[in-house]
Amino acid sequence: KAGVTQTPRYLIKTRGQQVTLSCSPISGHRSVSWYQQTPGQGLQFLFEYFSETQRNKGNFPGRFSGRQFSNSRSEMNVSTLELGDSALYLCASSWTLFGGAYEQYFGPGTRLTVT
Amino acid sequence: DAKTTQPNSMESNEEEPVHLPCNHSTISGTDYIHWYRQLPSQGPEYVIHGLTSNVNNRMASLAIAEDRKSSTLILHRATLRDAAVYYCILSRGDNNDMRFGAGTRLTVKP
């Protein structure tokens, strides 16, 4: 079974631009969660989507948004990029919304650099 | 949100057992204890999880204290490929929101 895939793997953007990152979950998984990883803040939860609905959201500004499509693929968007948005963006998929009892599977991440 | 406390770093010798501790004194009754690890330049990888009873799988064992305020991840024979950051996370049973801490950086010496 194919794992979680994320595209692109690397991205360089300029401050003020916007960016869209994509995540394809494992086949059959309906939940997709997004995380931001930086050296200073570590891994931080951004939001989770299940059946095309945002179910849970972390403490990030409104510049960070996402969506999920009917095939469970998800995209996240960051508008008006700031230097501090440079990070590794990870997505994780799970087959269920009630995740505490089940494992999540992470993709390799998209490395975003904002200059 | 309940938090976890782990040592910043630990060292182990290859082929010896490793015990990675985690304190979670504010754990609630519905929190599952999860362990993930992250190898360099990769996304986190699931290791093991449990609720109340000790758990074993092909990768590791999870020992949970009777009062559930602490747990220990046991790698039975460390290999060089086990060098990674290990995260102990409490995850509620009703969502997929995982709050990662700083984790423990495990170094395995040959």
Side-chain angles (χ1 to χ4, degrees), chain B residues 16-48:
Chain B
E16 289 187 356
V18 182
H19 291 233
L20 296 165
C22 181
N23 286 321
H24 28 79
S25 58
T26 59
I27 190 171
S28 74
T30 57
D31 285 336
Y32 286 80
I33 302 160
H34 284 244
W35 284 83
Y36 284 74
R37 71 181 186 182
Q38 189 172 21
L39 280 66
S41 303
Q42 294 187 25
E45 174 189 32
Y46 168 80
V47 177
I48 201 167

Side-chain angles (χ1 to χ4, degrees), chain A residues 1-48:
Chain A
K1 195 191 275 195
V4 178
T5 57
Q6 293 186 245
T7 56
R9 293 292 312 279
Y10 302 92
L11 204 50
I12 300 174
K13 289 287 189 179
T14 303
R15 197 168 39 182
Q17 289 184 314
Q18 75 163 11
V19 66
T20 299
L21 311 181
S22 180
C23 172
S24 292
I26 290 172
S27 177
H29 285 192
R30 295 166 64 190
S31 166
V32 174
S33 299
W34 287 90
Y35 293 83
Q36 181 197 65
Q37 186 173 29
T38 60
Q41 298 296 320
L43 268 155
Q44 293 186 284
F45 172 77
L46 278 157
F47 31 65
E48 177 195 8

